[in-house]
DNA sequence: AAAAACTTGACTATTTTAGTCGGGTATATA
DNA sequence: TATATACCCGACTAAAATAGTCAAGTTTTT
């Protein structure tokens, strides 16, 4: 049960931007160096973040990426969604004999999986990017 | 971000046992038929559950498996642990330049991953097998 | 003009997952 | 005591997902 690296790196990279941008575009090269993430991989990740309107890009020299929303408004769930990291942890067997349609026929564990989803989802829904930085500042 | 089928099936199978055993051993064949899970796969799963003292086995005709603890006492986290399903969702990069050792040097997102782990872990820690059945009975 | 930086699709090696297979051993019951 | 039922266990494998890399651009600033 784990988050994939794309999602993890996305959160790390965006947190990095929130810390190190001074209202300027942040280049992937800088993020790559600071966070130790492959530049080529970051490009792939930011393509998705851009398509999903999490960041916008500035081309050319001194270019880079800028957060569309402020860290206070950017939910972690938005980031995960952009990377297709569905927080739907697991379903129940659909193709068993006594198949579970989720309504009239529910398998024994159906409600449990639903609760698990809600539990995890709400965590990501309620966390903002700025929340990650707060605990960082508290440490410094 | 999802649970693997081994863990999912383990929870389903144990819930099945809790419902259908009448203080008798439940055979994997019966679980397999009721839950639509491959018998061979169930054997593999129950091997681990037995090694980790979640179930005990009765060999021979009319044999099967019996829950070691009552459903009221069996935590879901115990089940997942038996299947090596570490609930440690993700760590931070250990091998980056400014590596995170978790103590004096922490990466920006370190505390966030820790919180996530705690959040999910506590869900599994606080759920008992009997809790799954309760919501089932409420539906019937 | 040249360099920095984003753009994009395609490709690939490795790992994980989700099982299957084969050949056991133990035991209740006829 | 024969035999069917059911657990025991390591090894194997096909398919999917993961974690990237590569190539060949385009755009913009200096």
């Amino acid at each position: 049960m784990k988050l994939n690296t794309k999602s993890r790196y996305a959160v790390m990279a965006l947190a990095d931007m929130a810390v190190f941008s001074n209202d300027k575009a942040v280049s992937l090269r800088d993020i790559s160096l600071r966070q130790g993430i492959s530049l080529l991989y970051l490009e792939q990740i930011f393509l998705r973040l851009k398509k999903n309107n999490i960041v916008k890009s500035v081309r050319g020299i001194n270019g880079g990426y800028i957060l569309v929303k402020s860290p206070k408004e950017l939910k972690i769930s938005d980031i995960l969604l952009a990377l297709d990291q569905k927080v739907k942890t697991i379903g129940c067997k659909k193709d068993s004999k006594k198949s579970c349609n989720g309504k009239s026929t529910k398998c024994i564990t159906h409600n449990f999986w639903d609760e698990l989803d809600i539990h995890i989802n709400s965590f990501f829904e309620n966390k903002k990017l700025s929340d990650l930085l707060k605990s960082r500042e508290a440490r410094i």
Side-chain angles (χ1 to χ4, degrees), chain A:
Chain A
M1 179 133 203
K2 61 179 184 184
L3 226 46
N4 61 20
T5 58
K6 276 204 179 74
S7 302
R8 191 165 98 241
Y9 288 175
V11 172
M12 288 171 66
L14 293 170
D16 179 284
M17 284 177 69
V19 170
F20 293 104
S21 105
N22 294 306
D23 296 320
K24 281 180 292 205
V26 181
S27 73
L28 294 188
R29 205 184 100 88
D30 286 353
I31 297 175
S32 165
L33 289 173
R34 276 193 298 259
Q35 301 300 325
I37 302 170
S38 147
L39 176 60
L40 292 162
Y41 206 27
L42 276 177
E43 288 182 349
Q44 207 184 103
I45 292 166
F46 272 75
L47 202 64
R48 306 250 216 133
L49 292 175
K50 191 192 171 187
K51 273 182 184 156
N52 285 276
N53 208 39
I54 305 291
V55 295
K56 55 189 172 190
S57 63
V58 179
R59 300 186 81 158
I61 276 180
N62 295 328
Y65 288 92
I66 296 173
L67 291 170
V68 167
K69 293 180 183 177
S70 79
K72 273 206 175 88
E73 292 165 318
L74 182 55
K75 291 189 283 188
I76 303 299
S77 54
D78 292 335
I79 302 172
L80 302 188
L81 213 60
L83 290 155
D84 285 342
Q85 182 64 37
K86 289 180 195 65
V87 184
K88 178 83 192 149
T89 48
I90 207 61
C92 19
K93 274 185 93 82
K94 292 281 186 228
D95 52 342
S96 74
K97 294 280 168 56
K98 37 166 41 184
S99 96
C100 174
N101 62 24
K103 291 172 192 171
S104 57
T105 315
K106 278 191 188 174
C107 57
I108 302 176
T109 47
H110 186 98
N111 287 3
F112 177 67
W113 306 128
D114 275 358
E115 284 175 40
L116 175 58
D117 277 354
I118 291 168
H119 186 77
I120 297 177
N121 247 310
S122 70
F123 182 80
F124 292 130
E125 280 280 333
N126 292 323
K127 282 278 175 184
K128 308 289 191 317
L129 188 60
S130 56
D131 294 329
L132 312 206
L133 313 182
K134 261 186 273 171
S135 59
R136 171 188 158 80
E137 276 155 17
R139 283 204 314 279
I140 293 173

